[in-house]
Amino acid sequence: IDEAIRSLREISNNLSPHVLNNFGLVHGIKNFVERVGAMHDREIILRTRLQDERFDANIEVILYRVVCELVNNSLKHSECQRIIIELNRVGDNIVVEYRDNGKGFVVRDMENEGMGISNIKSRISSLGGKIRLDSKPAGGMSAHIEISTNGSILHLAEDLHEQVYGKRYGRKKSKHSAGR
């Protein structure tokens, strides 16, 4: 297992610049998913409506590395059997929906444990993006990431997120929004 993890990290680091520079984000992630899937007995699904769209090189590199880190963490720690990655464009934003069906964790406990989650949050923040992690023991984990492609800082619309995903993340409805 340790050798597989070392190989996975090596592949991830080796693929990033070449694939992204020549083919873009979708092809880079697709290539990574295919190689990792061949090395592990787990199902990794990539769903996207994007084709050959290209984005700012910094956005592509950071999103690629974040997805690789999420996959590596799931394979190393979660005991999952399935990983689903959805990558799409919504208006001027790139949206990544990531989830696994692993053993889950308490998000607050993991933020101080190791560098993985803090590195992911830092990378997304460096682009002015937003990330929400959701997990609980025995419930898998999910991540919702949004990055603006026009360079503006994102402010996720709680109401839109609630309409799409059916729940709010950590905030109680105010008296003003209770009647909506």
Side-chain angles (χ1 to χ4, degrees):
I1 292 174
D2 288 339
E3 181 62 32
I5 291 169
R6 275 193 292 280
S7 295
L8 184 62
R9 286 191 175 138
E10 182 179 314
I11 289 170
S12 171
N13 291 333
N14 289 339
L15 285 177
S16 177
H18 169 72
V19 173
L20 292 177
N21 287 336
N22 294 322
F23 305 106
L25 181 62
V26 172
H27 294 286
I29 292 174
K30 202 177 287 188
N31 192 324
F32 174 77
V33 164
E34 288 170 1
R35 287 179 182 250
V36 170
M39 292 172 47
H40 295 273
D41 188 24
R42 295 185 181 100
E43 184 178 22
I44 305 174
I45 300 166
L46 173 63
R47 297 178 183 146
T48 184
R49 291 186 302 263
L50 299 175
Q51 298 297 318
D52 295 323
E53 290 91 339
R54 294 301 306 261
F55 305 100
D56 178 81
N58 198 32
I59 290 172
E60 289 187 347
V61 167
I62 288 175
L63 278 177
Y64 175 83
R65 290 183 177 156
V66 164
V67 168
C68 291
E69 182 74 22
L70 287 167
V71 170
N72 287 333
N73 287 345
S74 290
L75 294 173
K76 185 176 178 181
H77 303 291
S78 79
E79 300 174 11
C80 69
Q81 293 303 309
R82 176 184 286 170
I83 297 170
I84 299 173
I85 306 160
E86 296 181 28
L87 175 66
N88 291 296
R89 189 170 187 159
V90 179
D92 289 334
N93 299 335
I94 300 172
V95 177
V96 178
E97 293 289 344
Y98 179 94
R99 62 189 172 278
D100 71 34
N101 66 347
K103 64 183 181 180
F105 56 90
V106 176
V107 175
R108 187 177 297 128
D109 292 348
M110 295 310 291
E111 289 175 341
N112 299 322
E113 192 91 15
M115 297 296 290
I117 290 176
S118 63
N119 281 342
I120 290 169
K121 287 183 172 185
S122 176
R123 287 176 174 162
I124 297 302
S125 179
S126 75
L127 294 174
K130 296 291 181 186
I131 181 169
R132 286 194 178 100
L133 297 175
D134 187 30
S135 184
K136 59 184 176 218
M141 79 82 68
S142 65
H144 174 86
I145 301 167
E146 288 189 45
I147 304 291
S148 173
T149 59
N150 65 16
S152 64
I153 295 175
L154 287 180
H155 301 284
L156 296 177
E158 288 274 337
D159 291 334
L160 177 61
H161 191 79
E162 181 179 19
Q163 289 171 11
V164 173
Y165 299 102
K167 63 180 178 177
R168 288 184 179 259
Y169 283 87
R171 292 188 185 164
K172 293 181 180 179
K173 288 187 179 183
S174 69
K175 292 178 184 178
H176 301 289
S177 65
R180 288 185 198 171

